[in-house]
Amino acid sequence: MKTSGPLSYNEAAQEGLANPCLQRSLRGLQAHYGKGALAAWRSLPDQTMRSRIKARRMQTLAHLDQALEQLANGIRARGGQVFFATTAAEANEYVRDLARKHNVRRVVKGKSMLSAEIGIDAALAADGVEVVETDLGEYIVQQAGSAASHIIAPCIHMDRQQIGHLFAEHLHIPYTDDPPTLTRAARKALRQHLLTADMGLTGCNFGCAETGQITLVSNEGNIRMATTMPRLHVALMGMERIVATLDDQRELLQLLTQGAALQKLSTYVSFVGGPSREGDPDGPDEFHLVIVDNGRSRILADPEFREVLACIRCGACLNICPVYGRIGGHAYGSPYSGPIGAVVTPLLAGINRHADLCKGETLCGACREVCPVANDLPRMLAALRHKLAYGDPGWQVRPHNRFEALCFKAWQRIVGSKVCYEIFLKLFRALQRPFIGPQGMIGRLYGFGGGWTEGRDLQPLASSSFRERWRGVHSKKRGNCAGSAAEGQHDKG
Amino acid sequence: MIKDNQTLFLNRIRAALGNGNDQQDAWQDLLAPTDNTAFQGIPNRGREEQLLLLRQLMDNAGPLHLTVHVCASCDEAANCIAAISRDSKPEFGSTKEIVIHDHPLLQALPLEPLLAKDSIVIHTTSSNNPEVRRHTTNAYIGVTSAAWAIAESATIVQLTRPGQPRSTSLVPSIHIAVLELANMVATLAEAYALISQEPDLDSLVLISGPSKTADIEGSMVQGAHGPRAMHLIVLIAEPVADSRA
Ligand code: SF4
């Protein structure tokens, strides 16, 4: 999996926070799409739709072997080829072989996060194959040597001026920051690629077992181009992206386009069932579907996390998450960012390695509200934290921070005993005194405590605890308990 | 090697699921039609109702930049296509060439004489035309016929058929689709019901307006990699004004 650039979670988050263009875009994105998706769900005529579809997703996953077999049979019956790849390396090797066999010089890609997950660009480039992203956002990010920072809007971290300079340099056009002019320049350049490429490489939004077809969704038309004009079409499909029936596909499609972009339907929804047929003047000579596991079966086997495989990668959870909404996508160090990334990246690429992700989220629950398939991401984030705290041999997780664990053990002891707790309070109150600033807050701690005050002030311990105050009040008014309780309530009101 | 891979792969899934061999029934149940979807079959609609659907489609087409033309006759439709051809300039080449699907509805349009006046060349994408690819790449307009149109989302459905390739609605800068009023449906669910009745279902596409992108600062631009303009010509036998009377 292509993960973690050179920056750590904290560093990349800082960078995101300091990028004014990203901050502006994120605000706009969240105000429009995040809130819009919530409103869309509220106005669904059938309020049971999401839970019903989620149930279908889970039932289908429970029969994933049969579903995939049926899909593969359907595609093979139309002359398409299906390859089951257990690992990223197997998938890459298959596509590389194919490219070699067919003497492929140029590959045009439709947006596919799975392709980034398995790192296929590098595998093809190693053979001297030119790989061109054709989704405008992905193309911009590729030219800039950067990484996508949103599932649906890859170059949200760049503004029109940056893109203008980039195009002036790479496409040799006079500098402009006018989006229509920039889009036209990319359209012209990419058209040549799309019309002359030997292989189109796409993802797969849904595979349908009943009809033996895959569905691809786009607004730009690049995916249709990539699946129509080149001699070969290779679709990469995460094994969980399957539905049982055409009806399931339709309803999921509607949730996907609503959740992702508040559209009734994307501009193009293509159904692909195999290679070009007798009498078709266009379409690919060969169609290959590569179904990828790459760690998904492990998620499937764990009832705690199986639910995450119901995800349809709509990006709605990114559009509402308060953490993603500030730090942007790069901090997540993976093609999958936001709340979904915080769950799925550790599960696919190592829980310890991506320990920061689940700890960075706030567990506020907004992603669960907005998710079209009602994925309980906060629950799974908490489960990941639990594994990091205590370790889990089944997932090869070692306790993330033994020192922290020790502190919590000690804390458990302290709060378990009244005497210890009171001694601790006294001690801490005395120790904190020199750190309290003029605003009455602790502005800065040192040593291992420094992390707590990095980026925020700490509230000092109160001079007396509730218990102590209660004791004080009641020792004065002993014998008049009822009265003081009523008074207390009155005060509160 | 491929078969082995599949077996290993599926066995790993079975192990993950912990399924025994008795699951076949349940999977078949999952494939059975569900009756909890709101869809109740396509009602038999009269002309008036079809015209109402057309109005609904036109309302939804506006925001998508899909231009709808209502034509009462084949002559009117041909004139409409000719006007669009005259008024627009080729984006990529200099010659004015048009590709048109090999479809009875389109062949019935008297286009040749109209376009010849402006020396616009027409190529049909019939199966025996070996140069479809070159013609399509050179063309600035592609004319197709839509199997159905969906009112609720202003979407057309195109089935790939011999002589009706996918590139006609994709590669030229302008896409003109022609539809008969009778082929108007209300919802996506209705369209899917029709799609699923198609024998030998293979490649098809749902199209809602010209291609577009909002990748640069969220600003919407029509014309990404597909057509930058799309027209839908709806053939009705009588003027649409009747529906409002
Ligand atoms: S978890 Fe839900 S909201 Fe997030 S991308 Fe997946 S389907 Fe969309």
Side-chain angles (χ1 to χ4, degrees):
Chain A
M1 187 168 189
K2 194 175 98 187
T3 44
S4 308
L7 294 185
S8 73
Y9 179 80
N10 272 335
E11 289 162 345
Q14 294 291 353
E15 208 179 83
L17 286 164
N19 177 347
C21 143
L22 175 70
Q23 293 300 318
R24 211 177 331 117
S25 311
L26 288 172
R27 267 197 302 277
L29 181 89
Q30 294 210 325
H32 184 56
Y33 292 105
K35 298 224 166 66
L38 281 179
W41 306 147
R42 273 196 295 273
S43 63
L44 279 179
D46 171 10
Q47 282 294 318
T48 62
M49 183 176 180
R50 286 159 73 203
S51 52
R52 179 162 46 75
I53 291 174
K54 171 64 167 291
R56 293 283 294 178
R57 285 290 284 145
M58 297 311 291
Q59 283 169 335
T60 309
L61 286 172
H63 298 282
L64 189 59
D65 52 333
Q66 285 152 312
L68 289 175
E69 206 163 11
Q70 188 161 340
L71 172 69
N73 291 343
I75 285 175
R76 286 184 183 131
R78 290 198 204 85
Q81 298 177 50
V82 183
F83 180 71
F84 286 84
T86 299
T87 61
E90 271 179 34
N92 289 342
E93 209 33 56
Y94 181 80
V95 181
R96 263 175 94 166
D97 266 355
L98 205 64
R100 274 189 218 123
K101 208 164 75 202
H102 290 272
N103 206 7
V104 168
R105 310 298 329 147
R106 180 182 280 162
V107 173
V108 281
K109 279 177 72 188
K111 210 169 145 357
S112 156
M113 277 165 287
L114 179 54
S115 78
E117 176 190 322
I118 64 177
I120 202 167
D121 293 17
L124 286 167
D127 286 346
V129 177
E130 183 191 11
V131 182
V132 187
E133 292 284 357
T134 61
D135 174 86
L136 180 59
E138 294 281 358
Y139 175 69
I140 290 169
V141 161
Q142 188 186 38
Q143 297 300 312
S146 166
S149 68
H150 187 281
I151 293 183
I152 307 292
C155 66
I156 186 179
H157 56 288
M158 295 173 74
D159 60 20
R160 58 180 79 191
Q161 286 80 19
Q162 285 169 291
I163 297 167
H165 287 299
L166 188 74
F167 279 14
E169 186 189 327
H170 288 264
L171 297 179
H172 313 293
I173 57 165
Y175 171 81
T176 167
D177 59 10
D178 175 45
T181 313
L182 290 170
T183 303
R184 256 197 306 281
R187 168 181 170 86
K188 209 169 144 213
L190 284 170
R191 186 179 163 93
Q192 279 321 306
H193 291 297
L194 287 162
L195 293 179
T196 56
D198 310 293
M199 179 192 281
L201 183 62
T202 69
C204 161
N205 291 98
F206 306 113
C208 177
E210 183 188 20
T211 64
Q213 283 175 316
I214 65 163
T215 309
L216 290 160
V217 172
S218 86
N219 283 320
E220 296 188 359
N222 60 320
I223 292 182
R224 280 192 71 202
M225 282 277 204
T227 59
T228 301
M229 305 315 279
R231 295 181 272 135
L232 298 162
H233 172 203
V234 178
L236 301 169
M237 170 183 168
M239 69 178 202
E240 79 285 8
R241 306 296 284 276
I242 189 156
V243 298
T245 66
L246 202 56
D247 260 340
D248 291 341
Q249 186 259 36
R250 169 175 57 81
E251 295 202 291
L252 268 180
L253 181 67
Q254 286 177 304
L255 289 185
L256 172 68
T257 55
Q258 283 275 353
L262 310 180
Q263 288 175 296
K264 283 182 191 154
L265 216 52
S266 297
T267 306
Y268 299 115
V269 180
S270 337
F271 293 52
V272 176
S276 159
R277 290 191 300 191
E278 190 70 40
D280 286 351
D282 62 17
D285 300 338
E286 285 186 23
F287 170 63
H288 298 255
L289 179 65
V290 181
I291 302 176
V292 180
D293 182 328
N294 201 31
R296 285 161 176 77
S297 51
R298 186 144 86 133
I299 303 177
L300 186 70
D302 189 334
E304 205 165 18
F305 295 113
R306 183 183 289 185
E307 185 184 2
V308 82
L309 296 177
C311 170
I312 52 173
R313 303 282 189 267
C314 70
C317 53
L318 282 65
N319 299 343
I320 204 121
C321 173
V323 178
Y324 175 88
R326 301 298 179 284
I327 66 176
H330 286 156
Y332 294 82
S334 133
Y336 310 112
S337 53
I340 179 63
V343 173
V344 95
T345 302
L347 291 176
L348 290 175
I351 298 176
N352 281 111
R353 188 165 157 210
H354 292 278
D356 287 333
L357 302 191
C358 67
K359 297 195 296 171
E361 301 294 306
T362 63
L363 309 186
C364 70
C367 50
R368 184 182 47 212
E369 296 295 305
V370 83
C371 176
V373 290
N375 265 349
D376 197 346
L377 295 171
R379 180 187 59 73
M380 291 183 267
L381 288 167
L384 285 169
R385 289 188 188 181
H386 189 272
K387 292 202 190 314
L388 282 168
Y390 299 105
D392 182 340
W395 279 93
Q396 286 104 42
V397 184
R398 34 188 173 71
H400 178 62
N401 188 335
R402 289 188 193 277
F403 179 65
E404 189 183 84
L406 210 69
C407 290
F408 275 110
K409 270 256 161 62
W411 181 241
Q412 195 177 17
R413 274 273 165 83
I414 292 169
V415 295
S417 135
K418 198 170 126 191
V419 180
C420 283
Y421 185 61
E422 280 177 1
I423 293 174
F424 167 83
L425 287 182
K426 288 223 170 68
L427 197 70
F428 201 89
R429 273 187 208 127
L431 285 174
Q432 74 180 359
R433 220 166 285 144
F435 295 96
I436 300 178
Q439 315 289 335
M441 299 291 277
I442 299 176
R444 178 138 196 205
L445 288 173
Y446 299 93
F448 76 88
W452 287 87
T453 51
E454 210 181 273
R456 64 175 170 323
D457 288 345
L458 267 191
Q459 182 86 40
L461 280 187
S463 53
S464 56
S465 69
F466 176 76
R467 244 180 164 186
E468 287 160 345
R469 284 164 63 189
W470 178 272
R471 229 185 277 139
V473 170
H474 285 269
S475 59
K476 276 179 230 146
K477 294 191 185 172
R478 214 170 265 289
N480 193 10
C481 272
S484 78
E487 222 171 79
Q489 268 172 22
H490 186 76
D491 278 356
K492 231 167 102 195
Chain B
M1 175 256 199
I2 285 180
K3 272 283 173 209
D4 285 355
N5 257 25
Q6 174 167 350
T7 312
L8 287 174
F9 189 105
L10 294 178
N11 281 343
R12 189 170 300 103
I13 292 181
R14 278 179 206 118
L17 293 171
N19 280 356
N21 278 340
D22 53 341
Q23 298 290 317
Q24 193 65 36
D25 284 348
W27 167 243
Q28 292 306 334
D29 289 349
L30 215 54
L31 287 175
T34 46
D35 49 30
N36 50 4
T37 50
F39 182 65
Q40 302 296 332
I42 304 174
N44 230 332
R45 294 194 180 92
R47 180 185 161 74
E48 289 304 307
E49 282 168 296
Q50 291 296 99
L51 286 169
L52 281 177
L53 289 183
L54 173 57
R55 290 238 65 89
Q56 196 194 336
L57 178 135
M58 290 169 81
D59 290 343
N60 290 325
L64 300 177
H65 291 253
L66 166 64
T67 315
V68 183
H69 310 264
V70 179
C71 294
S73 65
C74 284
D75 282 339
E76 208 181 317
N79 274 316
C80 180
I81 295 174
I84 296 169
S85 316
R86 247 193 320 273
D87 295 344
S88 35
K89 281 206 266 313
E91 183 184 356
F92 297 107
S94 51
T95 57
K96 284 193 162 187
E97 296 179 39
I98 290 180
V99 276
I100 183 163
H101 268 176
D102 186 5
H103 187 280
L105 179 66
L106 301 177
Q107 298 312 315
L109 303 179
L111 276 174
E112 300 262 359
L114 285 173
L115 294 175
K117 272 191 261 168
D118 295 286
S119 39
I120 299 171
V121 187
I122 307 181
H123 307 284
T124 305
T125 58
S126 43
S127 308
N128 56 15
N129 174 358
E131 299 215 73
V132 168
R133 192 182 167 103
R134 191 172 65 80
H135 289 151
T136 307
T137 314
N138 289 344
Y140 74 126
I141 295 179
V143 185
T144 68
S145 98
W148 305 287
I150 305 164
E152 72 170 352
S153 54
T155 302
I156 65 159
V157 184
Q158 282 201 328
L159 309 171
T160 307
R161 291 269 179 264
Q164 295 157 33
R166 24 200 144 184
S167 53
T168 318
S169 63
L170 178 67
V171 175
S173 309
I174 301 168
H175 173 207
I176 305 175
V178 184
L179 176 89
E180 282 179 292
L181 181 66
N183 292 329
M184 187 79 100
V185 297
T187 61
L188 188 65
E190 290 186 9
Y192 266 58
L194 291 165
I195 288 171
S196 63
Q197 282 162 20
E198 274 299 302
D200 194 18
L201 188 66
D202 183 16
S203 147
L204 67 105
V205 60
L206 314 180
I207 306 177
S208 314
S211 78
K212 59 178 185 247
T213 180
D215 275 347
I216 302 178
E217 284 194 12
S219 113
M220 188 62 78
V221 181
Q222 318 297 325
H225 302 300
R228 41 179 201 180
M230 179 175 170
H231 300 265
L232 176 63
I233 296 178
V234 184
L235 274 173
I236 60 166
E238 298 159 39
V240 73
D242 284 2
S243 70
R244 279 171 291 179

